[in-house]
Amino acid sequence: MVVFTKEAIEKTLVEIVEDLIQDWGIDPDDGITGTTLLVNDLDFASVDIIQLCVAIEQHYDRKIGFQDLLMKDGSYVSDLSIAQMVDFLVDRI
Amino acid sequence: MSTRTLFIGMDGATFKILDDLTNTTEDKQPVMPFLSSIYEEGVRSKLLSTPNPLTPPAWVSLMTGRSPGNHGIFDFIRAEERGNDIFFTLYDSRDSKAETIWSIASRQGKRIAALNFPFTAPPQKDLNGFMVPGFIPWRHLRRNTTPSDFYDRLKVLPEFNPKELAWDFEKEKQAVSDLSDKDRENWVRYHLPRDRQWFRIAEYLLVEETPDLMAVMFDGVDKLQHQAWLFLDPSLQTGEVSEYHQRMRKLCMDYFRQLDGFIEKLINAAGPDVQVFMASDHGFTATYEIVRINAYLHKKGYLNWKLMPDTEEAARREESMFANLDWKNTTAYCRTPSSNGITIRVARNSSETGIKPEDYETFREQLIRDLEELRDPETEERIITGIFKREEIFPGPAMKDAPDLLLVLRDFGFVSIKDKEPIVEQRVEVAGTHHPDGVFFAYGPGIKQGEIIDRRNIADVGATLLYSLGLEVPSDFEGQVPESIFTEQHLAKNPVVIGAATTFQAKDEQPESMSEDEKDKLMAQLKMLGYME
């Protein structure tokens, strides 16, 4: 059975995000870290978040059910940090 | 080797417009002279779209030869019930439960190229050829293009511009929005270079790669017709018109003239041996009124609006294309304007809101009666002329994801889901909306000339493309090859063969995508409907 550590998941997520934004003309000052915010720092729109979720699901070859991350108390979250996504993935994978 | 089959998709193309643009009169030449020659030298028919004549289900039916109840794509937006909340997201290729013709041809050794088709992203891994998906923002084209190095090849093509080529979600909302005259003019101008980008890639692939099946879809036709129907419909070009009207009409003609040139160049690039097929996913007609269906359901006590704070974010949510309701106090609602459907909320357990499963049938019958009673106050004519139960029009394993009722409005328009009165309102000016009758053309060696055949079904196109490639038609295809378009000699030499069923497997299907509760709910509904003991 493959074990996914938090560190491994974070590394994977950062690589996926870097791959995703390579043509966007965005170059975050400190690179992509746990505190990087998708909307505020990387200019993600809602459709970009959906595409990121698809890319993650493709990487892990499974549906992950991101609705529990993207929706809180009946409303869609306004932004997400890399660390929040990692914590969610640790819980789900 | 040369390309054997060329498919050109024209989203929303209708004979109402094409007949006019291909017509030669004493005082005018046709706007689309090449298409006019295909009228003479090929076969054409109306093409019946899916029950809801909408881009997502219709193109997927064309690509899979299956109906929406089998492939499972019903709309742009997919909804997931989460207890007392509903999560909305976008459908993608993984949600389709049927194998595409791209995959079927690939696994039988044919090289394919498919450009700008919706719900082809993320791409399948087993494709033998090239795919650039449609309806994907430019930022995500690289990841979703096949093969993985093809995007870099595209980047060095002269004048390649991904921002011009790809779908822009913010802009696309304009297709069904009220626009100022200036914005509407810009909207039409925006689609000229966009289609040109897709044409250049198609031409490049035809020349450089000669795939067995070359397929490209131009979606500007649909976008123009939504906003510029007033300037296109020949029956509306009478009397004196404004300078703006004349300018818009000319701009629209420029678009269709350009499209005609693309068709001609692609066919010429493919060579004289190619069989050419062209189709639209649905037709078009005029809509003259707005029907606010959720406002009507609210009036009838089926739904309650969600109270929103007075913030910019809340205003944005209110303007979005999916319903924002007080779910606990809602039993029936329309999710999106494009769905033209009503979803009934059925409680999956005692802690959830919604109607009880055992009340479903009675509830739905009452809902139908209420919908029938939405009438024109002056003429007493029904506003909703068709109300279809999902088991009637979406039979198949994916039916559970379909709306419980599908509505057809008297002018074929899409419903509005806004919290606004009046419930039925005349539009200031007519707009374009989808109609079930699209177009189908066939042209080339082995195809009859100058004939019009009876209306075919959109699922027939996928079967026809496989047949044209020399492949068997899978036995589980609902689409059939329209044999009457081919010459007797061609059919004698190339009989239609029905072969093994498709090999689709839902690789990404996980238990969580259908919870036990959802299964119970489905079982209860199936029992109620008499499908199960």
Side-chain angles (χ1 to χ4, degrees):
Chain A
M1 184 181 163
V2 181
V3 178
F4 297 102
T5 63
K6 186 173 181 177
E7 291 72 26
I9 289 172
E10 181 165 346
K11 183 169 177 288
T12 299
L13 181 60
V14 169
E15 284 170 1
I16 291 171
V17 173
E18 284 173 345
D19 179 61
L20 207 67
I21 68 170
Q22 63 177 293
D23 297 315
W24 296 12
I26 292 170
D27 190 13
D29 293 342
D30 304 320
I32 296 170
T33 66
T35 58
T36 303
L37 290 165
L38 297 180
V39 176
N40 197 47
D41 298 332
L42 302 180
D43 193 30
F44 270 54
S46 53
V47 68
D48 300 320
I49 294 176
I50 292 173
Q51 289 292 328
L52 173 60
C53 294
V54 173
I56 295 168
E57 288 181 337
Q58 278 192 294
H59 177 83
Y60 290 108
D61 200 23
R62 68 179 75 177
K63 287 260 187 185
I64 292 173
F66 282 99
Q67 58 270 39
D68 294 330
L69 176 69
L70 301 177
M71 210 173 182
K72 294 279 181 235
D73 303 324
S75 295
Y76 292 82
V77 296
S78 56
D79 207 342
L80 278 172
S81 70
I82 295 292
Q84 279 176 300
M85 292 203 84
V86 170
D87 288 342
F88 178 78
L89 290 169
V90 167
D91 195 42
R92 287 300 175 102
I93 295 173
Chain B
M1 290 295 289
S2 61
T3 294
R4 184 167 179 156
T5 305
L6 172 63
F7 176 68
I8 299 173
M10 298 180 288
D11 198 305
T14 168
F15 285 119
K16 275 186 189 174
I17 301 299
L18 296 184
D19 283 355
D20 180 46
L21 302 185
T22 52
N23 190 26
T24 307
T25 61
E26 280 182 10
D27 56 352
K28 80 173 174 76
Q29 290 298 304
V31 173
M32 302 184 79
F34 188 77
L35 188 63
S36 182
S37 71
I38 291 182
Y39 269 55
E40 298 297 319
E41 296 166 25
V43 179
R44 66 188 187 276
S45 76
K46 288 181 181 172
L47 191 67
L48 178 62
S49 185
T50 42
N52 182 18
L54 184 71
T55 289
W59 281 118
V60 177
S61 281
L62 186 146
M63 295 190 296
T64 63
R66 310 297 306 276
S67 57
N70 284 299
H71 63 60
I73 304 290
F74 296 98
D75 196 355
F76 294 98
I77 291 169
R78 179 168 64 84
E80 291 175 17
E81 294 268 350
R82 305 174 69 241
N84 290 321
D85 269 325
I86 295 182
F87 176 75
F88 291 96
T89 189
L90 296 170
Y91 275 107
D92 65 48
S93 66
R94 301 169 305 162
D95 297 308
S96 173
K97 296 167 177 63
E99 190 178 16
T100 63
I101 55 171
W102 324 123
S103 167
I104 295 165
S106 288
R107 65 178 163 76
Q108 296 182 76
K110 301 293 182 187
R111 284 181 90 221
I112 64 102
L115 306 177
N116 199 25
F117 289 89
F119 306 97
T120 52
Q124 297 149 253
K125 291 171 185 158
D126 53 359
L127 283 177
N128 178 26
F130 305 86
M131 183 174 276
V132 185
F135 298 57
I136 286 288
W138 74 268
R139 287 175 159 190
H140 304 282
L141 270 185
R142 172 190 289 280
R143 265 196 67 252
N144 290 299
T145 293
T146 296
S148 55
D149 63 351
F150 188 51
Y151 189 78
D152 287 325
R153 282 176 65 185
L154 294 178
K155 280 178 79 173
V156 297
L157 287 184
E159 297 180 63
F160 174 74
N161 181 348
K163 290 182 185 173
E164 220 171 58
L165 171 87
W167 178 284
D168 180 327
F169 272 72
E170 284 309 307
K171 274 209 172 78
E172 295 304 331
K173 282 182 191 167
Q174 294 181 9
V176 287
S177 305
D178 286 331
L179 298 182
S180 67
D181 282 356
K182 189 180 172 197
D183 285 344
R184 189 159 49 180
E185 190 170 340
N186 287 337
W187 172 252
V188 176
R189 289 189 193 284
Y190 161 67
H191 285 92
L192 282 148
R194 188 149 173 268
D195 277 10
R196 199 178 303 130
Q197 290 280 338
W198 287 109
F199 161 72
R200 285 205 191 100
I201 300 174
E203 190 182 43
Y204 167 75
L205 281 170
L206 274 171
V207 172
E208 297 293 324
E209 299 288 346
T210 56
D212 297 300
L213 169 59
M214 174 73 231
V216 59
M217 198 269 272
F218 296 108
D219 60 301
V221 183
D222 173 277
K223 305 298 161 40
L224 247 70
Q225 291 175 163
H226 270 294
Q227 282 294 346
W229 187 257
L230 188 60
F231 317 106
L232 279 164
D233 185 338
S235 67
L236 301 173
Q237 311 308 311
T238 52
E240 287 222 358
V241 292
S242 67
E243 190 187 320
Y244 174 72
H245 187 113
Q246 289 177 43
R247 195 164 69 243
M248 286 295 289
R249 170 89 182 163
K250 181 183 175 302
L251 204 49
C252 291
M253 295 305 106
D254 288 345
Y255 172 84
F256 280 97
R257 198 173 287 112
Q258 172 181 269
L259 178 63
D260 192 63
F262 293 162
I263 295 169
E264 181 176 14
K265 285 175 186 157
L266 290 176
I267 292 176
N268 287 338
D273 298 331
V274 74
Q275 280 189 336
V276 182
F277 302 92
M278 297 190 283
S280 61
D281 54 339
H282 51 75
F284 249 79
T285 190
T287 167
Y288 50 83
E289 65 189 4
I290 301 165
V291 178
R292 299 189 175 102
I293 197 67
N294 278 354
Y296 182 65
L297 292 173
H298 172 66
K299 185 180 166 189
K300 288 289 177 181
Y302 290 102
L303 72 75
N304 276 287
W305 307 106
K306 185 174 185 176
L307 295 174
M308 296 295 282
D310 187 17
T311 64
E312 196 181 314
E313 192 182 337
R316 246 195 337 266
R317 177 66 184 87
E318 285 293 286
E319 282 302 310
S320 70
M321 304 296 267
F322 43 96
N324 189 28
L325 303 172
D326 171 5
W327 301 113
K328 286 182 184 170
N329 293 301
T330 292
T331 51
Y333 69 105
C334 177
R335 283 177 172 165
T336 65
S338 50
S339 72
N340 264 8
I342 305 292
T343 297
I344 297 172
R345 300 200 71 227
V346 182
R348 293 172 293 187
N349 54 53
S350 59
S351 68
E352 287 188 9
T353 54
I355 64 163
K356 292 177 183 167
E358 58 268 31
D359 295 337
Y360 179 81
E361 203 53 47
T362 314
F363 179 91
R364 189 169 65 164
E365 289 303 324
Q366 181 58 51
L367 177 60
I368 290 170
R369 285 194 292 277
D370 284 335
L371 291 166
E372 286 170 345
E373 282 313 304
L374 179 58
R375 289 174 185 269
D376 185 316
E378 287 180 15
T379 64
E380 281 298 302
E381 185 189 3
R382 271 175 55 185
I383 303 290
I384 305 168
T385 49
I387 303 172
F388 299 97
K389 297 174 181 174
R390 65 178 175 183
E391 66 272 21
E392 295 168 350
I393 47 167
F394 299 126
M399 185 185 79
K400 67 179 176 60
D401 297 323
D404 296 84
L405 297 173
L406 178 70
L407 312 182
V408 178
L409 304 186
R410 64 175 170 175
D411 69 350
F412 293 100
F414 288 106
V415 295
S416 164
I417 60 169
K418 285 188 178 169
D419 175 10
K420 201 172 166 186
E421 299 270 356
I423 288 163
V424 180
E425 186 176 16
Q426 292 295 304
R427 293 180 185 278
V428 177
E429 58 184 30
V430 299
T433 191
H434 297 184
H435 186 276
D437 287 343
V439 303
F440 177 65
F441 293 91
Y443 164 80
I447 293 166
K448 292 177 184 171
Q449 297 203 347
E451 291 200 14
I452 301 173
I453 61 165
D454 289 343
R455 186 173 70 173
R456 301 298 304 199
N457 189 289
I458 191 157
D460 295 345
V461 181
T464 307
L465 295 178
L466 292 179
Y467 167 72
S468 173
L469 284 170
L471 301 176
E472 296 175 349
V473 178
S475 59
D476 55 344
F477 259 41
E478 294 159 271
Q480 298 174 346
V481 178
E483 296 191 27
S484 61
I485 69 175
F486 296 100
T487 61
E488 286 179 16
Q489 299 93 313
H490 184 82
L491 279 173
K493 200 173 165 190
N494 307 280
V496 176
V497 180
I498 305 301
T502 54
T503 60
F504 178 80
Q505 285 181 322
K507 291 173 192 163
D508 290 311
E509 198 78 22
Q510 291 289 307
E512 74 226 41
S513 65
M514 192 196 222
S515 66
E516 287 305 313
D517 283 341
E518 283 171 322
K519 282 180 193 161
D520 290 346
K521 178 186 164 191
L522 178 65
M523 292 298 179
Q525 286 191 19
L526 289 172
K527 278 181 189 164
M528 215 78 65
L529 297 168
Y531 283 96
M532 286 181 67
E533 289 298 317

